[in-house]
Amino acid sequence: MRHPLVIAPSILAADFSRLGEEVRAVDQAGADWIHVDVMDGHFVPNISIGPGVVKALRPHTKKVLDVHLMIAPCDPYLEAFAKAGADIITVHVEAGPHVHRSLQAIRALGKKAGVTLNPGTSVDAIEPVVDLVDLILVMSVIPASAAKPSSRSPPKKVARLRALAAARPIDIEVDGGITPETAPAVVQAGANVLVAGSAVFKGGKPEAYRANIAAIRNAAALARGEAA
């Protein structure tokens, strides 16, 4: 099954002083999903946003809100993010000992469930839960890190995960360093959802966002053998 190509701008790179406006701008500029990074200052060094901000953003777009929880523990907050309007809730396999329970809880809340693995985490960690997920997110950088992504590791890991997913209806998402130059390698390996922050929001204006999203989409589509 060929999964649709999805461009998911990360609002972490947006202007937080006008976040609703920024979400509307990338929505209208061609974003397929809106990627929301949630950081707690514990599982990762930074602190970003909580369920209240997700709830505030929900009226600004009808696109999928793809909420990536970089928090531990995550279970106490799943219901709040679901009620806030998240469509997909993704948790880290490293965030606690009971990722099965977390994924089951997300599905019980009526949301799509995603699982994430950090660059240093083996694909083997995903295998026991592959039948519980709708999405697998591959981090090509350490979360909340300014380190440069590895140019070779993400495509290799994506290829292994795509093989593991087999015929299951699982989206494979890559986050970290996605640009028109890096997108082809990961989509050729089997990723279909591309998270881009600075590569989308550079330029600071809606017309720039439209051009940036189009450039990533065109590069990825060509790599998939599709019309740009």
Side-chain angles (χ1 to χ4, degrees):
M1 182 176 69
R2 195 81 186 271
H3 297 262
L5 179 62
V6 171
I7 310 299
S10 169
I11 64 167
L12 200 60
D15 181 347
F16 268 50
S17 70
R18 49 190 187 93
L19 205 47
E21 183 183 335
E22 291 274 72
V23 166
R24 292 196 305 273
V26 291
D27 179 328
Q28 294 166 13
D32 300 297
W33 296 356
I34 306 296
H35 188 80
V36 182
D37 288 306
V38 177
M39 300 182 285
D40 65 355
H42 171 68
F43 181 67
V44 293
N46 296 348
I47 297 174
S48 62
I49 63 176
V53 174
V54 174
K55 183 178 180 180
L57 293 178
R58 182 70 277 182
H60 291 276
T61 181
K62 293 182 179 179
K63 300 286 175 68
V64 168
L65 286 182
D66 174 30
V67 177
H68 172 199
L69 300 184
M70 291 175 269
I71 67 176
C74 60
D75 288 7
Y77 304 97
L78 298 176
E79 185 175 2
F81 281 103
K83 287 183 175 178
D87 296 295
I88 304 169
I89 300 176
T90 298
V91 297
H92 272 258
V93 71
E94 308 93 353
H98 301 295
V99 68
H100 285 84
R101 183 176 65 196
S102 302
L103 295 169
Q104 288 170 339
I106 294 167
R107 286 192 157 183
L109 289 164
K111 304 300 180 179
K112 288 190 173 182
V115 67
T116 317
L117 65 168
N118 284 330
T121 301
S122 169
V123 168
D124 295 338
I126 300 293
E127 188 170 5
V129 297
V130 72
D131 288 316
L132 294 175
V133 302
D134 302 287
L135 176 144
I136 299 171
L137 171 55
V138 178
M139 297 300 298
S140 61
V141 295
I142 299 168
S145 166
K148 291 184 178 180
S150 164
S151 61
R152 289 176 292 181
S153 177
K156 183 178 179 181
K157 187 173 280 189
V158 166
R160 289 185 62 197
L161 288 166
R162 181 51 76 195
L164 176 64
R168 298 174 182 88
I170 295 174
D171 290 306
I172 296 184
E173 182 173 43
V174 176
D175 186 358
I178 292 296
T179 66
E181 292 71 37
T182 61
V186 294
V187 298
Q188 286 171 346
N192 68 294
V193 182
L194 304 177
V195 176
S198 58
V200 166
F201 284 97
K202 67 181 181 181
K205 295 182 179 179
E207 56 268 28
Y209 303 162
R210 182 175 297 279
N212 296 338
I213 290 170
I216 296 169
R217 189 185 305 281
N218 292 347
L222 286 171
R224 282 162 54 106
E226 299 170 352

